Amino acid sequence: MDYESKAVARRRKLRDSLIAAAEETIETEGLRGMKARELATKVGCAVGAIYNVFSDLDDLIFAVNALTLEQLETTLTAANTETADPQTGAIRKLTHLAVAYTDYAAANRRRWRALFDHRLAEDQEVPTWYKTNLARLFAYIEAPLRQIAPGMADADRALLARSMFSAVHGIVLIGLEEKLQSLPLTVIREQVVTMVQAMARGLATPSS
Amino acid sequence: MDYESKAVARRRKLRDSLIAAAEETIETEGLRGMKARELATKVGCAVGAIYNVFSDLDDLIFAVNALTLEQLETTLTAANTETADPQTGAIRKLTHLAVAYTDYAAANRRRWRALFDHRLAEDQEVPTWYKTNLARLFAYIEAPLRQIAPGMADADRALLARSMFSAVHGIVLIGLEEKLQSLPLTVIREQVVTMVQAMARGLATPSS
C-alpha cells in the first residue's frame, strides 16, 4: 500500500468512526448532544480533524440521517408485500407501509426525530444525494397510489404521496407526544390503520 | 385602594407585562429566545420578580400558549359555518376547520410551533386548565364527526378527532418544512382539503 492509499484508508476509517460516534450520540442524547469536541474525544482525534472528512457537523448529521433512511427503507421493503386483487392489494400495501413507519419511529425515537429536527442554516441547502434517497422512499407510497388513483399525473401523485406520508407522520408524532398525553403504540397503530384506510377508500371514491 | 389590593394590581400588571414580553419573544425568536434575564430586562423588573408571578418559565410559556389556543379558537369559530345537508355539511365543516388551522399556522409560524416545541422536564405535568382548553378545541372536530360516523362511542370519537387533527397537523408541518422543500400555502391548503375530504368520505364508507 503506497502513501496515497494509506491516507485514503485513514480518512475512511476516521469518517466511519465519526459516523458511528454521531449515531451513538443521536441515539442516546438526540441532536442536541452533537458537539464537535465531544465527538473528537469519543473517536480520539483532534477537533480540527473532523473537518478534514466532513465540511461541517450538518454534513455529518446528513450521513447519519442517510443511514436512518436506509434502515427505514429496509423495514418498508419487508412490509411491501404483494396481494392478488390490485385495489385491496394497494390499500393493504399502504397500510403495511404506514404501520412499518409507525413501528420504526416508535422503536427508534431519537434517530427518527433527528430526521426532522435537523435544522440547516439559512444559506445551506439539502445535498442532492440526500434528496435522491428521500425520493426513493416516497416511491414506495407512489406505487400503490398508482393503483388506487390511476390516470393521475406523476406530479400530482408525488404530491399525494407526500400528503399521505405527512398525515401518517402527524399521527405518529402527536401519538408519541408526551405533552398531549402519549398513546400506547397499539393505539397509534390502530389510528394509523384507520386513517390510511379511510384516506385510501376516500381517494378511490369520487367526491359527490 | 388598600395596600392588599394595590399589591394584587401590581402583581397582575407584572404578570401581563411578562406575558406580553414572552409573546413578543416567541413571535420574533421562537421558544429558544425565552430567557429569564432578557424578559426581566424587557419589562424592567428583577429576574427574581418573575418567579413571584410564575412558578417557572414553563408556566409563563403555558400562559402564552393558552393565548395562542384562544386565537386559534377564534379562527375555528369563524370557520365553523352551518349548512343544510348534515352529511355534506359535516365534511364541509371539517374542511373549513382544517383550512382555518392551516392558515393560522402559516400566518403565525413561531407561535404555532411553540405549542408543540415546548418540552417539559420529566417530572412536570401539563396543567389541568391547559388540558381543558385543548379539549375544547378538539370538540370542534368531534361535532362533525358525530354526523359522519354516528353511533360511535365517545372515547372512540375523541380518538378519531385526535387522529384527524394529527393528520392535518402533519400535512401542515411537512408542508411548511424547509428541509423537505416547503410548499406554497395554496398547495398545502389543497393537500389538506384533498386529504380531509378523502378521510371523511372514507370514514363514511364502510370498509369492504
Side-chain angles (χ1 to χ4, degrees), chain B residues 33-52:
Chain B
M34 284 283 283
K35 277 159 200 133
R37 189 173 301 273
E38 285 168 30
L39 289 169
T41 308
K42 263 190 188 170
V43 308
C45 73
V47 173
I50 295 176
Y51 304 103
N52 290 332

Side-chain angles (χ1 to χ4, degrees), chain A residues 34-46:
Chain A
M34 285 283 283
K35 276 157 201 137
R37 190 173 301 274
E38 285 168 30
L39 288 169
T41 309
K42 263 190 189 170
V43 307
C45 74

Side-chain angles (χ1 to χ4, degrees), chain A residues 113 115 118-119 126 134 159 162-163 166-167 170 174 177 179-181 191 195 198-199 201-202 205 207, chain B residues 113 115 118-119 126 134 159 162-163 166-167 170 174 177 179-181 191 195 198-199 201-202 205 207:
Chain A
R113 288 216 64 126
L115 291 177
H118 179 208
R119 293 267 163 282
V126 176
L134 264 182
L159 204 58
R162 180 174 164 147
S163 302
S166 304
I174 303 278
E177 174 57 66
K179 241 189 60 198
L180 292 167
Q181 227 162 12
Q191 286 190 299
M195 297 316 272
M199 282 186 273
R201 278 202 309 273
T205 315
S207 60
Chain B
R113 287 217 64 125
L115 291 177
H118 179 209
R119 292 269 163 281
V126 176
L134 264 183
L159 204 58
R162 180 174 165 147
S163 302
S166 303
I174 302 279
E177 174 58 67
K179 241 188 58 196
L180 292 168
Q181 224 160 16
Q191 285 190 299
M195 297 316 273
M199 282 187 271
R201 279 202 308 274
T205 315
S207 60

Side-chain angles (χ1 to χ4, degrees), chain A residues 32 62 65 88 113-120 126 130-131 134 138 159-160 162-183 187 190-192 194-195 197-208, chain B residues 32 62 65 88 113-120 126 130-131 134 138 159-160 162-183 187 190-192 194-195 197-208:
Chain A
R32 277 156 201 255
F62 274 122
N65 283 352
T88 56
R113 288 216 64 126
L115 291 177
F116 299 93
D117 290 350
H118 179 208
R119 293 267 163 282
L120 284 174
V126 176
Y130 188 83
K131 284 187 191 162
L134 264 182
F138 278 110
L159 204 58
L160 194 61
R162 180 174 164 147
S163 302
M164 206 161 203
F165 161 74
S166 304
V168 170
H169 176 73
I171 295 171
V172 177
L173 189 74
I174 303 278
L176 294 172
E177 174 57 66
E178 274 118 38
K179 241 189 60 198
L180 292 167
Q181 227 162 12
S182 62
L183 301 173
V187 175
E190 276 169 27
Q191 286 190 299
V192 161
T194 303
M195 297 316 272
Q197 297 189 343
M199 282 186 273
R201 278 202 309 273
L203 289 170
T205 315
S207 60
S208 49
Chain B
R32 276 157 200 256
F62 274 121
N65 282 351
T88 56
R113 287 217 64 125
L115 291 177
F116 299 93
D117 290 349
H118 179 209
R119 292 269 163 281
L120 285 173
V126 176
Y130 188 83
K131 284 188 190 161
L134 264 183
F138 278 109
L159 204 58
L160 194 61
R162 180 174 165 147
S163 302
M164 206 161 201
F165 161 73
S166 303
V168 170
H169 176 73
I171 295 171
V172 177
L173 189 74
I174 302 279
L176 295 172
E177 174 58 67
E178 275 119 35
K179 241 188 58 196
L180 292 168
Q181 224 160 16
S182 62
L183 302 172
V187 175
E190 276 170 27
Q191 285 190 299
V192 161
T194 303
M195 297 316 273
Q197 297 190 344
M199 282 187 271
R201 279 202 308 274
L203 289 170
T205 315
S207 60
S208 50

Side-chain angles (χ1 to χ4, degrees), chain B:
Chain B
M1 208 188 273
D2 60 18
Y3 178 76
E4 176 75 14
S5 58
K6 262 190 206 157
V8 169
R10 222 173 16 235
R11 262 178 73 92
R12 158 157 309 207
K13 207 179 150 201
L14 177 58
R15 200 186 134 85
D16 290 348
S17 307
L18 283 168
I19 291 177
E23 278 187 287
E24 196 193 280
T25 302
I26 286 175
E27 281 174 7
T28 52
E29 303 167 57
L31 276 181
R32 276 157 200 256
M34 284 283 283
K35 277 159 200 133
R37 189 173 301 273
E38 285 168 30
L39 289 169
T41 308
K42 263 190 188 170
V43 308
C45 73
V47 173
I50 295 176
Y51 304 103
N52 290 332
V53 284
F54 291 102
S55 51
D56 49 34
L57 285 189
D58 286 325
D59 196 19
L60 173 53
I61 294 170
F62 274 121
V64 174
N65 282 351
L67 292 178
T68 304
L69 292 183
E70 271 179 33
Q71 291 184 357
L72 194 49
E73 186 166 7
T74 305
T75 77
L76 295 186
T77 313
N80 208 12
T81 48
E82 279 295 343
T83 48
D85 175 27
Q87 181 85 357
T88 56
I91 296 186
R92 198 172 300 174
K93 219 179 243 185
L94 285 171
T95 309
H96 287 166
L97 290 171
V99 170
Y101 181 75
T102 307
D103 289 349
Y104 182 84
N108 302 276
R109 298 271 284 268
R110 292 208 183 84
R111 280 195 88 115
W112 167 67
R113 287 217 64 125
L115 291 177
F116 299 93
D117 290 349
H118 179 209
R119 292 269 163 281
L120 285 173
E122 281 197 12
D123 56 335
Q124 274 209 304
E125 283 267 327
V126 176
T128 308
W129 64 267
Y130 188 83
K131 284 188 190 161
T132 309
N133 287 7
L134 264 183
R136 211 171 57 226
L137 289 191
F138 278 109
Y140 281 79
I141 312 173
E142 287 167 32
L145 284 181
R146 196 184 299 265
Q147 296 179 295
I148 287 175
M152 192 178 254
D154 282 356
D156 290 339
R157 192 184 309 108
L159 204 58
L160 194 61
R162 180 174 165 147
S163 302
M164 206 161 201
F165 161 73
S166 303
V168 170
H169 176 73
I171 295 171
V172 177
L173 189 74
I174 302 279
L176 295 172
E177 174 58 67
E178 275 119 35
K179 241 188 58 196
L180 292 168
Q181 224 160 16
S182 62
L183 302 172
L185 179 55
T186 49
V187 175
I188 302 177
R189 258 196 224 125
E190 276 170 27
Q191 285 190 299
V192 161
V193 170
T194 303
M195 297 316 273
V196 164
Q197 297 190 344
M199 282 187 271
R201 279 202 308 274
L203 289 170
T205 315
S207 60
S208 50

Side-chain angles (χ1 to χ4, degrees), chain A residues 13-29:
Chain A
K13 208 179 149 200
L14 178 58
R15 202 187 131 85
D16 290 348
S17 307
L18 282 168
I19 291 177
E23 279 188 287
E24 196 194 281
T25 302
I26 286 174
E27 281 174 7
T28 51
E29 302 167 59

